[in-house]
Every structure is written in structure tokens, then in C-alpha cells.
Amino acid sequence: MSVDSYLELFTTLFGWAFYGVLWDVLVSTGIVYLPFLGILIDNWREPAQGGEFGSVTGLSLRRMEIDLFIALLVVVLAGQPAALTPLNASTLSYVPQPTTADPTPTTATTTDPQSTYGVTGFTGSPATVNLPVWWYAVLSMSSGLNHAVIAGLPAASDLRTYEQQARLATITDPRLRQAVSDFFSHCYIPARSKYQAAQPATPAITVLLDTYGDDDPDWLGSHVYRQTPGYYDELRPPKQVPGWPYNALRDTEYDPADPPEWGKPTCKQWWEEGTESLRQQLINAADATAGGLSGLVVTIAPVLASEQQQDAVARTVLTNAPPIWSSNDLVAGNTANTGWLATAENLVKGGLAAGGVVTASGLFAVTMTAVLQALPMVQALLLLSIYALLPMIVVLSRYSIAMMVTGAMAIFTVKFWTVLWYLAMWVDQNLIGAMYPDANTFLLIFANPGEHDAKRMLLNMITTSLYLGLPLLWSGMMAWAGIHVGRAISAASAPLTLPSENAGRQGAAIGKAAVSRAGRR
């Protein structure tokens, strides 16, 4: 049998184990027999109140037989755990939904939970738990229906995984941070200063800006500086760069008879050539800190050229890395000034409103991340509570068939939340694709903080409302349907007891008439 979350692997076993313990307590204390006593008293009292004439006694016994048969049937099907329907820990499994980050997820079991739930928190879970036949059928049907519906729905790419992983990509190696700082000071600042002073508008630069965006000159790996003569191809650092071998044709300031330990590459070479290039080191840092971010980018945007994909990864790492290598205003996002002059300019342009959008977007993002992680846990714990308390409901309902159906609907309702969350995720992914039709723009939204915040806030609001609203709507609809199901069952069982009730009324009428005639005599 399959479940819908890692935690549910353990809560299912413990929930039904608690069911068995509580049922045994009710049996040992004799509480399970009280409903039978109530059935006998009711079926004796009600006809007796109607009189002693006619066939009231026989019909009362018939009514008592029907009620006792129904009660015993409920006990057998939905009360007493049966050895015929055991729930084995070895057969309980959970298969996460495939995502772009993990297209072939590993099946989790209690012995290999793929999580920390079974390490210390839920140790000692029972190997086998016996379930009542009815509840075992309900669990099997609910799980099978969930997986069948999800399998029939279109696949979701789970682009939120990219967002979460992109925020983890950063620089942890102090040597790489120092290299980025040196490149920033010796290559980027001189190139940008020259570009700002010259303001070139050649056809080649126009093509580069059209291809890579108008903000391309605002970051370290700018194609304008790398492909335009006179910028990165001529600039070189004033000191040796570890990892770059000495080149006599390039490093002419050194005596070939006494070569240095390392050479001084051009800024173009330093950024893009070979495995020692700064860009490749940034990509390696992203894969180390964000779990293979470069491969994920290729999966998300296969239509982009390899150059643009690599730039997206490197740019994301530079954005997330703490800008400690310089106090220059351009470091903060590498996109715009952040000093007092820029603050005043933003106020004039509506910066206060933008700041509110940024704050709201960040809050929604944090809230949504926490909600998405907590919802399956809440579902698993709710199911554990339902399973554990079912014996009391079975007994207090006096072994009612309507209780069986209502309890089954309750379990099915909670388990069906998994399908609704998948539907919400599918809608969210399609909204992201619709609102960011340009894959290049989508890849760069995390590399350019402050841009597209209104769209991101709107998406977060919609996603949060779907993840929370759909289960609430579904639960409300099922509660309404459950009331009608209970009424329908009561109406269906009414013909079985109706003859006894009619006989009681007729007997009462006959008795009253006989007493009246005797009084007149």
C-alpha cells in the first residue's frame, strides 16, 4: 500500500497500532457491549409503550434481530481488527512525484525512509498491524484513487524547485571570493568605467544588448566587455593569478629566463577559458551549494544556448554571494546604485511602492515555503488522529452503518488533499510559464533582485491561496455531501424498522380503544 508523504509511512502504522490498543481496552472493560444493551432496551421499551395488543411482541423481536444483526456486521467489518487484512511495514511505501531536480525519485519505506523521521522520532514502529476489513478497503481505495488521478494529470515541472535551489547557490570558498574580488577590481571596474565614459553605440554592441539584455554591462561576465575589442581582451590583472600558467608571448613583463610561478591572463581568458576560468569555478560552486543547479538550468531552459545557461548560473551565484570584496555601490546586485543619491531617485520614481512590493513578495515567498513543507505533515498527523480515535466513534455511534460511510468519507477527504496539492502545483507551474514566456527572462529573475517583484508576489499569493483554499473548499463540499449520505442511509434502513413502528402505533390505538370501551361499560 502506498502513502502520500514520508511522515505518513510512520503515522499510518502508529495510528492503527493505537487503534488496536484502544479497541482492546474497550473490549477488556466491556464498553463495546454497551451499545448492544442499548439496542435491547430501546427495542423493548418503545413497543412496550405502545401497548400489549396485536403482534407487537413479535414485531419487536423482529426489529431487535435486525438492529443486532446490523450492529454485529459493523463490529465485524469496522470494529474488530482482522488478521485477514494486515498492514505490513514492508509493503508500505511512498514514491515522491518526479521533478526536474529528481526525475526518478527513490521509493521510500520504513526501513529506508529517505528522511529523518525514522531515525529517532518514530523508532520502534510495529512491523504488522491488523486493520478492520472496512477501513483497510477504504485506505486501499483512497490511495489507489489518489495515484490514479495524479498519474492521469499532466506532469508538472516544479519550477519552484529551481527558485529554492537558486537561492542556495553561493560562494563558500574564501579563495574563490578573493578571486572574484580581484576580478571585480582589476577587470570589471576598469571596463565599466571605460564603457560609461565612451558610451559606444556600434552595431556590434547593439546586437549584443539585444541578445543578452540591456543590463548585460551591469555584471562581471558581460558579453559587451568580453566580445568588444578594447575591454576584457586587453585588460589584465596587475598581479599573478594562481592556476594560470606563465605565457611568454602574453606575459612580456617577465624575463623568460626567470619565469614567474603563475601568469597574468587577460580578463577574457580569466573569465571564460578552461576549467580554471572564473565562470567555471562559479558554476562548480553553484553545483556544490545548490545541488546541481547548472544541470537544473539546462533542464528548465534547453532552448537557450550553453553560453546563456552558464551565464545564468554564474550570475545567480554572484547575486547570492555576500558582496564583501568591495564597497562599490555596483556590487549590490551588480545592477544599480544603492547610495543616498539612488535612494532619492527611487523615491521620485515610486521607490516606496516598489519597496512595499519587494517586502510583500519576500514575506509571501517565506510563508509559501513554510506552508508547502508543513501541509503534508499536517495531513499525516490528522490521519493518525483519525485512525487512533476511530474505535470510540464506532462504539459511540452504536455500530451504525451511517458511521462507517461517514468515517470512510472523512479519511478519503483528508487523503485526497494530496491530489489537490498536486493540482495547485500544476496550476502554479503553468502560471509561471505563462507570466514568464521568455525562458531567458525567467532564468534571470533570481539573478536580478528587485525586478519582476509584482509578478512574483502575485504568483506567491495565488499559489498560497490554492494550496490552502482547495483543501478547505473540498472539505466543505464533502461535509455537505456527508450529511446527505447519512440521511440517505437512514432513509434506506427505515423500511426495515417501519413495520415495527407501525405495529406499535396500531397496538397503542387498539389498546386505547379497548380501554375506552371498558370504561363506558
Side-chain angles (χ1 to χ4, degrees):
M1 183 182 296
S2 59
V3 295
D4 300 315
S5 67
Y6 293 107
L7 181 58
E8 196 177 346
L9 285 171
F10 301 94
T11 57
T12 300
L13 291 172
F14 278 103
W16 289 111
F18 295 155
Y19 179 101
V21 171
L22 184 56
W23 180 261
D24 291 340
V25 171
L26 294 176
V27 171
S28 61
T29 56
I31 296 178
V32 294
Y33 305 111
L34 293 181
F36 294 102
L37 181 60
I39 292 173
L40 295 176
I41 293 175
D42 287 345
N43 285 281
W44 164 79
R45 177 179 54 83
E46 293 177 4
Q49 289 177 342
E52 299 179 355
F53 297 90
S55 58
V56 174
T57 303
L59 292 175
S60 175
L61 292 175
R62 177 62 177 169
R63 178 179 175 181
M64 189 179 301
E65 290 175 358
I66 294 173
D67 288 348
L68 289 175
F69 173 79
I70 292 176
L72 290 173
L73 181 65
V74 173
V75 170
V76 172
L77 294 180
Q80 177 65 39
L84 297 176
T85 52
L87 187 63
N88 297 321
S90 59
T91 61
L92 207 61
S93 63
Y94 167 62
V95 182
Q97 293 300 319
T99 63
T100 53
D102 188 9
T104 56
T106 304
T107 301
T109 61
T110 54
T111 57
D112 185 18
Q114 303 292 322
S115 67
T116 59
Y117 292 121
V119 176
T120 56
F122 290 89
T123 56
S125 59
T128 302
V129 179
N130 291 331
L131 272 64
V133 177
W134 172 255
W135 303 122
Y136 185 90
V138 169
L139 288 182
S140 300
M141 183 206 69
S142 300
S143 299
L145 182 64
N146 282 359
H147 288 81
V149 172
I150 293 177
L153 292 175
S157 57
D158 193 16
L159 296 178
R160 292 286 177 183
T161 302
Y162 171 79
E163 178 181 3
Q164 296 175 2
Q165 287 190 254
R167 297 184 186 280
L168 297 176
T170 187
I171 303 174
T172 57
D173 187 352
R175 293 172 297 181
L176 180 56
R177 290 194 181 186
Q178 183 60 46
V180 173
S181 176
D182 293 340
F183 187 91
F184 181 88
S185 302
H186 304 319
C187 297
Y188 176 69
I189 291 298
R192 181 176 175 83
S193 300
K194 180 178 178 179
Y195 180 80
Q196 293 287 0
Q199 291 292 323
T202 63
I205 291 180
T206 302
V207 172
L208 290 174
L209 294 178
D210 291 340
T211 303
Y212 300 104
D214 294 334
D215 61 344
D216 180 75
D218 296 333
W219 77 292
L220 275 65
S222 168
H223 285 268
V224 172
Y225 305 149
R226 290 157 55 191
Q227 300 181 24
T228 303
Y231 290 89
Y232 279 0
D233 62 334
E234 295 182 359
L235 291 171
R236 297 169 61 213
K239 59 182 180 180
Q240 303 174 29
V241 179
W244 287 90
Y246 165 74
N247 187 332
L249 298 178
R250 181 193 62 206
D251 305 325
T252 56
E253 60 268 51
Y254 296 104
D255 184 2
D258 186 20
E261 180 181 4
W262 303 110
K264 297 193 300 183
T266 64
C267 292
K268 181 179 176 64
Q269 293 174 327
W270 192 3
W271 176 260
E272 65 183 30
E273 289 188 7
T275 57
E276 293 296 327
S277 65
L278 196 58
R279 181 176 64 178
Q280 186 59 47
Q281 293 184 58
L282 291 174
I283 293 174
N284 295 339
D287 291 338
T289 57
L293 179 60
S294 60
L296 185 60
V297 171
V298 174
T299 303
I300 293 174
V303 297
L304 292 183
S306 175
E307 186 76 14
Q308 291 173 292
Q309 293 167 346
Q310 293 177 2
D311 288 346
V313 176
R315 196 166 182 173
T316 301
V317 177
L318 291 174
T319 300
N320 295 339
I324 63 173
W325 50 77
S326 174
S327 60
N328 190 291
D329 293 335
L330 293 173
V331 176
N334 293 327
T335 56
N337 293 332
T338 56
W340 65 270
L341 184 59
T343 302
E345 182 181 358
N346 288 336
L347 289 175
V348 175
K349 294 181 179 179
L352 288 177
V357 172
V358 172
T359 302
S361 178
L363 290 175
F364 270 110
V366 173
T367 302
M368 187 182 65
T369 301
V371 166
L372 298 187
Q373 294 178 353
L375 285 178
M377 298 175 62
V378 173
Q379 180 193 36
L381 294 176
L382 281 177
L383 289 173
L384 182 148
S385 303
I386 293 175
Y387 302 154
L389 297 176
L390 270 178
M392 295 298 298
I393 303 301
V394 172
V395 173
L396 294 177
S397 68
R398 289 179 54 171
Y399 308 123
S400 166
I401 294 181
M403 175 278 307
M404 293 174 56
V405 177
T406 303
M409 292 181 64
I411 294 175
F412 171 71
T413 299
V414 177
K415 289 188 70 67
F416 198 75
W417 288 355
T418 303
V419 176
L420 301 180
W421 291 331
Y422 184 87
L423 177 61
M425 181 181 67
W426 180 84
V427 171
D428 181 46
Q429 308 314 309
N430 284 272
L431 283 176
I432 291 176
M435 298 184 74
Y436 297 103
D438 185 357
N440 189 28
T441 302
F442 173 72
L443 289 176
L444 294 180
I445 60 175
F446 305 111
N448 291 274
E451 296 187 15
H452 309 286
D453 283 306
K455 285 185 178 181
R456 293 172 63 185
M457 184 184 70
L458 180 61
L459 284 171
N460 290 337
M461 292 177 60
I462 293 174
T463 302
T464 304
S465 62
L466 284 176
Y467 272 94
L468 296 178
L470 283 178
L472 291 177
L473 176 63
W474 166 251
S475 301
M477 294 173 64
M478 290 300 290
W480 173 80
I483 295 175
H484 288 272
V485 169
R487 292 175 181 173
I489 293 175
S490 299
S493 60
L496 300 176
T497 59
L498 187 60
S500 298
E501 295 177 359
N502 292 335
R505 296 191 186 97
Q506 293 174 4
I510 294 174
K512 290 180 181 179
V515 171
S516 298
R517 287 194 297 270
R520 285 195 297 269
R521 292 175 184 174

